[in-house]
Amino acid sequence: MAKSGNAGGENLSPTEFLAKKYFDQAEKSFTGDGVPVDFGKAFAGYTQSAKLGYAPAIFSLGVCYIRGYGVKPDEKRAYELIKQASDAGNIDAQFTLGHFYFEGSVVERDYDKAVEIFRDAADKGHPGGMNDLGFCYQRGLGVEQDDAKAFECFFQAAQAEFAAAQNNVGDCYNFGRGVEADAEKAFLYYYRAAQGGYSPAQNNLGMCYLNGCGVKADFAQAVHWFEEAGKLGNAVSVANLGFCYEMGKGVEKNAEKAVQLYTIASDAESAPGHYNLAKCLRDGVGAKPDPDRAFSLFKRAAEQSFVLAYADLSVCYRDGVGTKPDPELAEKYKALAESVGHPVPVPKTENK
């Protein structure tokens, strides 16, 4: 679990030797290296090692408390352990500590402090710290917004084969953020991250194949990568797979299957899942028409800033689809839709 830090194997004292032995055994149980995966055994081993003061084990124990591996999740206890490991010089713990300040779940949110920690981790060669520093530059959180500096951070982290950073470099090339847009380079970076098992990149790679961005369109490959990302729980990719079934791209057209996939994605709070399921329920595609539920789903998608939903929600409020007519809200969402380049269709009675 601990990728870096002070886990050297030379000149260990008897206590350090025993601590490392407990840690290594725990790692095997955690990863399934030669033994069945057993988070309970891993947690117990990390605990034994941590009691002997081994910083990588203290960090890994903290991660167990964050994710609920072998123990009930407890963010406060996780913070205490990760801070302890950070104070002992474990670079993974230092990096993770930055997330507590970034997210503000246990300690008060402090973007400046998070940036300080991410920068320090990046200076010590931690690709995750460099990647997250780039994210802060991209969003202007704790630092002045700067797409060029964000790209530089992502690019450096990507050279260390850090999958999230490779995906972020792909996004920069795809959308021209901090670098000249280049669809082929975007595809290549998405591909590298996807090969590393990073589900957002697998979804992005699927979109490249679906739309022919940076590579020749290949619907079968799009379906493959959406399926791979879906296996890892990527709800957006599940919705995109549903779209392939609805349209018959790379698979046999099956509206009912599409609705099933949209429902799974929607239940996981995916905005594309909400939106595509709403359209099916509004139009009776793959399911019986249900205007009330369709309206509710359009609204949920719009609340998640899914811009395609603005126009549909405006029509719902204008025509009373699944809700009472509300001219004021209809105009509000019409303006939002038009501001992002998605004009609202005129009423059918006027479309002559």
Side-chain angles (χ1 to χ4, degrees):
M1 184 184 296
K3 303 302 181 188
S4 36
N6 51 359
E10 297 182 358
N11 301 319
L12 297 177
S13 70
T15 298
E16 291 170 334
F17 179 83
L18 185 59
K20 188 174 185 304
K21 180 180 178 181
Y22 286 141
F23 175 77
D24 290 342
Q25 290 174 340
E27 288 281 85
K28 289 179 182 295
S29 294
F30 188 89
T31 61
D33 182 8
V35 297
V37 172
D38 189 327
F39 293 141
K41 283 186 177 181
F43 177 81
Y46 291 140
T47 300
Q48 286 180 303
S49 182
K51 286 179 179 178
L52 297 175
Y54 195 57
I58 296 169
F59 165 68
S60 295
L61 197 59
V63 173
C64 287
Y65 275 106
I66 291 175
R67 300 178 180 172
Y69 292 147
V71 68
K72 184 178 179 180
D74 185 335
E75 283 196 327
K76 183 177 180 181
R77 180 59 178 152
Y79 171 78
E80 293 169 351
L81 288 163
I82 287 170
K83 188 176 187 306
Q84 181 183 346
S86 175
D87 291 343
N90 183 274
I91 191 171
D92 291 310
Q94 292 171 355
F95 160 68
T96 305
L97 190 64
H99 280 273
F100 282 98
Y101 287 101
F102 188 88
E103 295 164 7
S105 56
V106 177
V107 295
E108 185 176 352
R109 177 173 285 165
D110 187 335
Y111 291 132
D112 292 341
K113 180 68 173 177
V115 165
E116 177 186 333
I117 293 172
F118 293 151
R119 193 187 302 279
D120 184 56
D123 289 343
K124 293 176 180 176
H126 196 292
M130 184 65 74
N131 180 69
D132 285 358
L133 181 61
F135 181 84
C136 290
Y137 274 116
Q138 189 176 74
R139 300 297 178 90
L141 301 172
V143 290
E144 185 175 350
Q145 198 279 337
D146 190 323
D147 282 337
K149 285 186 178 179
F151 173 78
E152 181 181 345
C153 290
F154 294 147
F155 186 80
Q156 288 186 39
Q159 303 319 298
E161 300 302 319
F162 193 71
Q166 292 170 335
N167 182 67
N168 287 333
V169 171
D171 281 342
C172 289
Y173 277 120
N174 192 17
F175 300 107
R177 294 173 183 158
V179 67
E180 185 176 351
D182 188 320
E184 291 184 0
K185 286 183 179 179
F187 170 81
L188 290 174
Y189 275 94
Y190 288 148
Y191 184 81
R192 288 171 61 185
Q195 290 287 81
Y198 190 61
S199 70
Q202 292 174 338
N203 177 69
N204 287 334
L205 191 62
M207 292 300 294
C208 288
Y209 278 117
L210 183 67
N211 297 317
C213 293
V215 67
K216 184 178 179 180
D218 186 327
F219 298 148
Q221 278 293 308
V223 167
H224 167 73
W225 287 108
F226 291 148
E227 288 178 337
E228 289 299 299
K231 292 174 185 176
L232 296 174
N234 189 299
V236 173
S237 197
V238 173
N240 288 333
L241 183 60
F243 176 81
C244 291
Y245 274 100
E246 183 181 356
M247 300 300 170
K249 294 182 179 291
V251 289
E252 186 176 348
K253 191 171 184 178
N254 187 329
E256 290 76 15
K257 176 71 172 179
V259 167
Q260 291 175 4
L261 291 166
Y262 291 151
T263 300
I264 292 171
S266 177
D267 289 344
E269 293 303 321
S270 159
H274 296 329
Y275 177 72
N276 288 324
L277 181 58
K279 289 200 302 177
C280 288
L281 294 174
R282 179 194 62 194
D283 302 333
V285 174
K288 292 182 179 180
D290 188 339
D292 292 347
R293 191 175 171 209
F295 164 76
S296 175
L297 289 165
F298 280 136
K299 190 169 184 290
R300 287 165 67 184
E303 288 170 349
Q304 291 177 241
S305 300
F306 192 71
V307 297
L308 295 179
Y310 296 155
D312 296 276
L313 192 57
S314 175
V315 171
C316 287
Y317 280 120
R318 183 193 69 197
D319 299 342
V321 177
T323 186
K324 293 181 179 180
D326 189 322
E328 185 175 340
L329 286 175
E331 284 300 314
K332 171 188 173 181
Y333 283 102
K334 178 182 178 182
L336 284 172
E338 291 174 345
S339 71
V340 292
H342 295 285
V344 175
V346 297
K348 291 181 180 180
T349 54
E350 298 177 15
N351 190 17
K352 296 181 180 180

